[in-house]
Amino acid sequence: MTQVISIPNMRNQNRRQAMPFFCIYHMGIKTGRRLGERRIPEKGKPEYVDRYAGHLMFCAIAILLLGVLDAFFTLNILARGGEELNWIMAQLIEDSTQKFISFKLALTSMALMLLIIHHNVRLTEKIRVWHIKYLILFGYTVLIGYELYLLNLAGFY
């Protein structure tokens, strides 16, 4: 006859430490190691990383700089007799140009932060959020070209 000995399971099932509210990873003091997806992605689940690729940061900085140029060119076009078609921005410009520039750059910055955080999230089978960032960069480039054309018509150069 065989004797069965039962051994209790003493292992701690949850081995992860609790994440503090102010974490050095979140504040950017210490960066994590994960650059890509961790495992094979599950369909419909968002994928996040610890560090972001350089081309995504370059894209975000380029969008911010083009936003600054857009605000500068918009104010120059308005000074030469142009009209702001966006009602919200027109109200801010009437109030003060500082409010206009602050609101425009704050809105662009907050949207970029959300797009950077979620850059790996799949919108469809082949489209991710970072594709949208490159579309925004292309759109801003076309907008700056159009504003330069309008300033050329107004005799700015």
Side-chain angles (χ1 to χ4, degrees):
M1 183 167 170
T2 60
Q3 210 173 25
V4 178
I5 300 172
S6 71
I7 300 172
N9 185 0
M10 302 297 282
R11 291 183 286 177
N12 185 359
Q13 298 299 324
N14 185 8
R15 292 184 283 171
R16 291 188 173 208
Q17 294 178 353
M19 184 70 73
F21 184 72
F22 287 110
C23 179
I24 56 176
Y25 291 105
H26 295 157
M27 295 187 296
I29 296 169
K30 184 174 180 184
T31 58
R33 295 176 295 191
R34 190 172 20 159
L35 283 168
E37 290 115 59
R38 198 166 167 186
R39 297 177 182 93
I40 298 172
E42 295 180 32
K43 194 170 185 129
K45 295 260 181 161
E47 303 154 8
Y48 298 100
V49 295
D50 296 328
R51 293 189 307 174
Y52 303 104
H55 64 91
L56 293 170
M57 292 295 117
F58 174 76
C59 179
I61 290 169
I63 289 172
L64 279 175
L65 291 176
L66 289 174
V68 170
L69 276 176
D70 177 36
F72 175 72
F73 289 153
T74 299
L75 292 174
N76 281 321
I77 290 170
L78 292 174
R80 285 166 176 66
E83 182 181 338
E84 177 63 54
L85 298 177
N86 185 343
W87 181 80
I88 296 171
M89 293 297 174
Q91 295 298 319
L92 288 170
I93 290 171
E94 283 181 20
D95 250 6
S96 114
T97 56
Q98 186 177 0
K99 279 185 185 179
F100 163 71
I101 293 171
S102 299
F103 182 78
K104 180 171 185 49
L105 294 180
L107 191 64
T108 304
S109 300
M110 287 188 292
L112 274 174
M113 282 190 280
L114 285 174
L115 289 174
I116 289 170
I117 291 169
H118 301 293
H119 80 277
N120 245 355
V121 173
R122 292 180 188 272
L123 299 175
T124 64
E125 189 71 29
K126 295 184 180 183
I127 299 176
R128 292 184 184 213
V129 170
W130 65 268
H131 292 109
I132 303 299
K133 272 191 0 187
Y134 282 110
L135 281 174
I136 292 170
L137 179 63
F138 177 74
Y140 254 123
T141 305
V142 170
L143 177 66
I144 295 298
Y146 177 67
E147 288 176 338
L148 285 172
Y149 170 74
L150 290 177
L151 286 169
N152 191 21
L153 285 178
F156 184 65
Y157 293 110

